[in-house]
Amino acid sequence: MKIYLILFLLFALSFNLKAQNNNTNGKITGKVTDAVTKQPVDFATISVFKQGSASPFNGGSTDPKGNFKIDNVAPGDYMLTVDFIGYKQYKIAHVVVLSTNKNLAIGEILLTPLQTQLKEVSVTATGPTVANKIDKLVYSPANDLTSQGGVALDVLQKVPMVSVDINGNVELMGNANIQFLINGKPSTIFGASITDALQAIPASQIKSIEVITNPGAKYDAAGTGGIINIVLKDNNIQGVNGSVNLTAGTRLENGNFNINAKKGKIGVGAFFSGNENITSATPSSGNRTSYSNTRDTVTNLGQNGISNFKRSGYRSGFNINWDITPKDALSASVNFNHFGNNSNGYVNNYQTTYIGGLPADTNSVNHSTSKFNNNSTDWSLFYKKTFSKKDQELDVLYNQSIGHNTNNYTQQQDYTNVIFPSSGSIGSNPGTDKETNIQIDYNQPITEDFSIETGAKATIENINNAVNTQTLDNGVYVPNPFQTYSFTYSRKIYAYYLSATFSLFHNFIDGKAGLRDEYTVSTSDFPNTTIPSYNILAPSFVLSHKIDKTQTIKFSYSYRLERPDYNSLNPFYNISDPHNISTGNPELKPEYGHNFELGYNKSFSNGVNIYVAGFYRYNTNDLQSFTTFYTNLKIGDTTYTNVSLNQRYNIGREVTEGVNLFGSIPAGKFTFRSNMFFADRITSNPGSPQVSGLAYRINLNTSYEFAKTLAAEFFINYRSSQRGIQGTNPAFLFYNFAVRKQVLNKKASIGLTAANPFNRYVNVNSTTYGPNFNQSSLREIPLRSFGISLMYKFGKLEFKKDKEQQDNAAPDEGGGGGGGK
């Protein structure tokens, strides 16, 4: 409570000081926009100077839509500046407030990103790497050299508040229950396999990654960890342009092609990308000791083997944008996604069972294959209507995603020292995941400082799959009717929300607050499974205060839920290793979470920027994976012995509290960035001891600019181990190097990367334990790789509209890239 009291006193003091200066009613208004992307720039600093003065006497900041208002300005002649990290300062030498008309509307101000070059045939723009906005954090990977030629997971390792483990699992503020979006829309590709989906998106196609830890009422309430929105590159500038990116390496190969064209009111774009993780061999070993319920039988199982793994994917899409009228716009897109992985290998099993102290050995070798594929199609239709009143807007979206998945395995176990017949099985699990979203949103400004937004959404999801199993009988695989069945799952979500954006106490506090209602109806035909309907009222808010032109503090809260995904619900048994089996749980209930966050941002005149966020998260019905050991496990008509069964359950409650630190420091030709995350997670489960585990993640990114066209970068990332409800998750260290040379007036570049060049493997040790077993495992993951990347941009861009705006601009000093209109 101390920190909230300090925050309150800070608000009160600043408000009192502003109130004392409230002796006029004149004001200056305007809007700040990125000159290249045409997107609003929020939290830009507006400063008003008296002529001849070096210090501003008044000022403010822009809201999420780029608008600003400076109150309490007496009639007179002033100088106005606009500043934001990563952009060139914009300056208007004479801003005149008249006594006859004290309300001056400047219009739109276009901020030019630093290092922007306008050539005859190319545009290269570099904005801030990390932008902290009122309701989200935006990471732009344009200068991320070590991710060049990589995939989305490589980029996510650099994003503040995000953590990626060695297996590609992503956490946001320590929570893995994240809602992933592409261009603000859901996709069934994430329901099939988040890790594989992120491996299929090339880093070169990503424009930015938006991290929303406490989403507002307009967003779905799903995802107790928050939302990660992957924004792909597009181009709305007149002309034809495109790019080609190719990467060849010892571990990953990929390539993508983008082309965009716009003439008049019509714009079209298309892309294709493909990648492949070259087959790699992963050695593994493990040991498990298990006990019978009466503790008179002890079994030791030792395993070692090797798995050959390969992953591949490709994406393609087409979009069209039509500006029907100056106030009506229609856009449509269709995307096709494919990704998958396959593996094959063997495991040697050395099992010793002690009954009454007498040992009995059973040795065997298990040969297995596993193959997963996903093919999905996403298409959407979006209509935007604007009105004569500023910021009044109507949006209508129809989005549909259909995913076809297959998950197959084979396994055969042959005994080497005892006369047992070979056992084995073949499993096939084809399925379909179809999701349809219909959404309407409307924003109504009431005053310059207050607007209301409302909307409704319907989400309809249907999952259908079949399980076909064959088992080995006298050397022949025959259909097994006891392990063959179908499964359907239907979920309908109806939502309505109401939210407000406001500025209080003469722009002392900027905020958003809202309430979202979601009603969920789920049905399933799985035997003995009944899923009750439920409703959730999800409030959320964010309050922000600009202490001065360099410091901002904000406090936010959201109430959210995590609905179980496709893989968590699917009751398909994966028996590729008969001693380690996994399956889904159709009876899972949603997880609920309360998220609190207090953030502070400070920027310095020399370009240094820091962001500190403290958070507290409380989840109930916590969704977690849990391993249960069975001496004998019957699946259909087959009994498996000495089995660890992994399945997700709603387990008790979880409290996570911690802090995230981000800093960026330019030092001459060097730029240093670091992100540090520290959190303590406490899990309470009725009937079991409380488990507390401290985890931290530290990374350092250092870049050096040898010349304007030659730069190098080093990145190192360490993630600590963390204690869980059944053991310890592994720690790991990862590092890479990169260099990039730009040629042909920066239209082309060549890059070299090296990942973990001095270590062939990253060793991953983990432990798991339960009431009647404990086990340890070691995986040697081959991450060392070398690669080369080539990029080429082409096309002619027309800036007629921007040029007209600059010609009509008010006189300025220092060049700002545009003016009022």
Side-chain angles (χ1 to χ4, degrees):
M1 293 300 295
K2 288 183 179 179
I3 194 167
Y4 301 138
L5 179 60
I6 293 172
L7 182 61
F8 174 77
L9 293 175
L10 180 64
F11 282 170
L13 176 61
S14 182
F15 174 67
N16 184 53
L17 292 174
K18 287 195 175 185
Q20 295 177 18
N21 294 324
N22 188 17
N23 50 22
T24 71
N25 58 1
K27 61 183 177 182
I28 302 172
T29 60
K31 182 174 183 178
V32 180
T33 303
D34 187 303
V36 176
T37 67
K38 301 301 182 291
Q39 296 298 311
V41 179
D42 63 345
F43 269 77
T45 300
I46 316 298
S47 302
V48 182
F49 300 78
K50 294 180 180 179
Q51 293 295 343
S53 175
S55 302
F57 79 95
N58 202 343
S61 61
T62 55
D63 64 17
K65 295 186 177 180
N67 300 316
F68 68 87
K69 182 178 70 171
I70 310 299
D71 290 312
N72 308 323
V73 182
D77 185 4
Y78 306 100
M79 180 180 71
L80 183 143
T81 63
V82 181
D83 296 276
F84 192 71
I85 297 173
Y87 291 86
K88 190 174 183 179
Q89 185 187 63
Y90 184 86
K91 184 185 296 184
I92 302 178
H94 296 281
V95 175
V96 180
V97 178
L98 302 174
S99 58
T100 55
N101 182 12
K102 297 180 181 179
N103 299 330
L104 175 63
I106 293 179
E108 185 176 30
I109 295 174
L110 299 177
L111 278 192
T112 303
L114 289 175
Q115 302 177 19
T116 300
Q117 297 184 356
L118 301 183
K119 302 293 183 182
E120 181 182 355
V121 295
S122 68
V123 172
T124 302
T126 302
T129 301
V130 177
N132 179 29
K133 301 189 177 184
I134 187 171
D135 61 344
K136 60 189 172 185
L137 185 146
V138 181
Y139 178 84
S140 300
N143 285 328
D144 187 351
L145 303 188
T146 54
S147 296
Q148 61 183 330
V151 294
L153 278 177
D154 299 314
V155 180
L156 283 168
Q157 291 181 0
K158 310 286 188 67
V159 179
M161 297 183 285
V162 176
S163 179
V164 182
D165 72 11
I166 197 68
N167 297 313
N169 301 310
V170 183
E171 289 184 350
L172 178 55
M173 289 289 204
N175 191 320
N177 296 324
I178 305 166
Q179 183 185 25
F180 280 90
L181 305 175
I182 295 181
N183 293 333
K185 297 184 284 290
S187 173
T188 55
I189 64 172
F190 293 119
S193 172
I194 291 176
T195 300
D196 284 296
L198 294 174
Q199 289 274 11
I201 302 175
S204 56
Q205 276 198 316
I206 298 175
K207 175 183 177 182
S208 63
I209 292 181
E210 299 177 348
V211 175
I212 311 172
T213 52
N214 280 317
K218 183 177 181 178
Y219 294 95
D220 292 342
T224 52
I227 293 174
I228 292 179
N229 180 31
I230 299 175
V231 182
L232 303 180
K233 291 179 179 178
D234 60 2
N235 201 322
N236 291 320
I237 301 175
Q238 295 285 340
V240 178
N241 60 88
S243 65
V244 179
N245 294 268
L246 299 173
T247 297
T250 59
R251 186 168 59 93
L252 174 68
E253 296 179 341
N254 67 44
N256 64 81
F257 171 78
N258 293 64
I259 187 168
N260 299 279
K262 186 172 184 180
K263 184 174 180 61
K265 297 181 178 181
I266 302 293
V268 295
F271 73 90
F272 177 86
S273 66
N275 63 37
E276 180 177 274
N277 277 79
I278 298 173
T279 302
S280 59
T282 302
S284 63
S285 60
N287 185 272
R288 183 178 67 209
T289 302
S290 56
Y291 308 90
S292 63
N293 293 333
T294 57
R295 294 275 172 161
D296 59 355
T297 301
V298 180
T299 301
N300 289 326
L301 174 65
Q303 293 184 301
N304 66 65
I306 195 165
S307 175
N308 300 299
F309 183 83
K310 181 180 180 179
R311 176 184 278 120
S312 62
Y314 59 85
R315 305 180 69 249
S316 64
F318 176 81
N319 65 80
I320 182 169
N321 303 281
W322 178 25
D323 298 325
I324 305 171
T325 72
K327 297 185 181 299
D328 297 271
L330 186 68
S331 62
S333 66
V334 59
N335 297 307
F336 179 76
N337 311 280
H338 164 81
F339 58 82
N341 63 69
N342 62 78
S343 65
N344 65 82
Y346 67 89
V347 175
N348 293 309
N349 303 291
Y350 306 98
Q351 180 175 295
T352 302
T353 302
Y354 297 87
I355 303 176
L358 298 177
D361 294 333
T362 305
N363 299 335
S364 62
V365 58
N366 185 68
H367 293 272
S368 64
T369 66
S370 179
K371 186 175 183 179
F372 169 77
N373 278 294
N374 173 270
N375 296 286
S376 65
T377 303
D378 301 335
W379 68 277
S380 65
L381 188 65
F382 178 68
Y383 169 74
K384 178 188 288 291
K385 170 74 175 178
T386 57
F387 301 85
S388 56
K389 190 171 185 178
K390 183 181 178 181
D391 295 330
Q392 184 180 5
E393 185 177 298
L394 173 68
D395 298 333
V396 181
L397 171 68
Y398 180 90
N399 179 68
Q400 187 175 89
S401 182
I402 303 176
H404 300 281
N405 315 288
T406 58
N407 191 0
N408 303 326
Y409 78 88
T410 68
Q411 69 86 15
Q412 182 167 321
Q413 186 165 313
D414 300 309
Y415 296 90
T416 58
N417 71 326
V418 291
I419 305 176
F420 288 152
S422 298
S423 63
S425 62
I426 298 175
S428 175
N429 177 215
T432 301
D433 185 2
K434 180 179 179 180
E435 181 174 330
T436 302
N437 295 276
I438 304 172
Q439 181 175 344
I440 182 169
D441 303 286
Y442 176 72
N443 186 70
Q444 176 65 55
I446 306 300
T447 67
E448 291 186 0
D449 296 330
F450 183 77
S451 64
I452 293 178
E453 188 172 22
T454 187
K457 181 178 181 180
T459 300
I460 302 171
E461 183 177 16
N462 292 289
I463 296 174
N464 299 278
N465 66 57
V467 176
N468 303 297
T469 306
Q470 300 179 57
T471 54
L472 188 62
D473 185 11
N474 294 322
V476 179
Y477 284 96
V478 296
N480 188 332
F482 300 99
Q483 296 184 35
T484 298
Y485 51 89
S486 61
F487 168 69
T488 62
Y489 184 92
S490 174
R491 181 160 59 198
K492 298 179 177 66
I493 305 169
Y494 305 100
Y496 172 77
Y497 75 92
L498 181 66
S499 67
T501 302
F502 51 85
S503 181
L504 303 175
F505 313 124
H506 304 288
N507 299 321
F508 177 68
I509 296 178
D510 295 315
K512 289 183 175 182
L515 180 67
R516 186 178 185 90
D517 181 85
E518 290 190 353
Y519 181 70
T520 305
V521 181
S522 302
T523 59
S524 171
D525 67 352
F526 196 71
N528 304 315
T529 300
T530 301
I531 306 173
S533 302
Y534 54 91
N535 190 78
I536 179 176
L537 287 173
S540 61
F541 68 81
V542 55
L543 301 175
S544 175
H545 169 61
K546 199 170 187 68
I547 301 172
D548 57 35
K549 64 184 295 183
T550 66
Q551 300 180 82
T552 304
I553 190 169
K554 65 180 180 180
F555 177 63
S556 59
Y557 164 79
S558 65
Y559 180 58
R560 303 182 61 75
L561 82 165
E562 172 68 16
R563 298 181 181 91
D565 59 18
Y566 175 91
N567 283 337
S568 299
L569 295 166
N570 188 356
F572 169 67
Y573 284 91
N574 189 326
I575 318 177
S576 56
D577 180 354
H579 290 292
N580 296 278
I581 299 174
S582 61
T583 185
N585 182 1
E587 298 184 357
L588 287 175
K589 299 178 178 61
E591 169 185 306
Y592 297 95
H594 296 271
N595 300 341
F596 297 86
E597 184 178 339
L598 181 64
Y600 170 77
N601 188 78
K602 169 70 174 178
S603 59
F604 298 85
S605 58
N606 60 358
V608 175
N609 181 258
I610 61 172
Y611 178 67
V612 182
F615 62 92
Y616 174 87
R617 297 189 163 199
Y618 173 76
N619 296 338
T620 57
N621 276 350
D622 196 49
L623 287 168
Q624 292 199 36
S625 294
F626 192 84
T627 300
T628 306
F629 176 78
Y630 292 90
T631 304
N632 296 286
L633 176 65
K634 189 173 183 179
I635 301 176
D637 65 338
T638 304
T639 299
Y640 298 89
T641 60
N642 298 317
V643 176
S644 291
L645 178 67
N646 185 267
Q647 195 172 15
R648 293 193 84 186
Y649 295 91
N650 294 104
I651 300 176
R653 63 183 184 181
E654 181 179 274
V655 173
T656 305
E657 50 192 3
V659 62
N660 192 92
L661 310 173
F662 170 80
S664 178
I665 304 174
K669 292 188 175 184
F670 280 99
T671 299
F672 301 95
R673 291 198 311 271
S674 181
N675 186 60
M676 294 178 282
F677 174 84
F678 304 88
D680 183 49
R681 184 165 60 196
I682 303 171
T683 304
S684 301
N685 181 29
S688 299
Q690 179 175 282
V691 176
S692 177
L694 175 67
Y696 57 93
R697 170 232 183 177
I698 300 175
N699 67 39
L700 174 65
N701 195 92
T702 303
S703 60
Y704 182 79
E705 185 177 347
F706 295 97
K708 290 185 178 181
T709 59
L710 179 63
E713 186 175 271
F714 170 70
F715 174 72
I716 185 169
N717 181 39
Y718 176 76
R719 175 178 165 133
S720 73
S721 62
Q722 183 174 29
R723 186 182 177 193
I725 57 173
Q726 281 192 290
T728 303
N729 296 322
F732 74 94
L733 177 71
F734 178 83
Y735 59 97
N736 51 23
F737 304 86
V739 61
R740 181 176 66 185
K741 171 65 177 177
Q742 295 176 306
V743 295
L744 301 177
N745 287 328
K746 297 188 177 182
K747 291 191 298 181
S749 69
I750 180 171
L752 302 174
T753 58
N756 272 42
F758 306 116
N759 303 87
R760 181 180 181 184
Y761 296 107
V762 173
N763 293 333
V764 179
N765 293 281
S766 59
T767 61
T768 308
Y769 55 82
N772 58 345
F773 79 99
N774 59 76
Q775 65 185 40
S776 61
S777 64
L778 168 65
R779 296 173 63 220
E780 300 175 77
I781 301 178
L783 286 185
R784 182 168 65 185
S785 65
F786 302 90
I788 181 171
S789 298
L790 304 174
M791 182 277 294
Y792 177 72
K793 296 179 180 179
F794 62 89
K796 181 178 180 181
L797 305 179
E798 300 176 10
F799 286 90
K800 294 180 180 179
K801 183 177 180 180
D802 298 345
K803 185 66 168 60
E804 291 171 359
Q805 291 174 344
Q806 294 179 20
D807 291 342
N808 296 328
D812 65 279
E813 297 176 5
K821 65 177 181 178

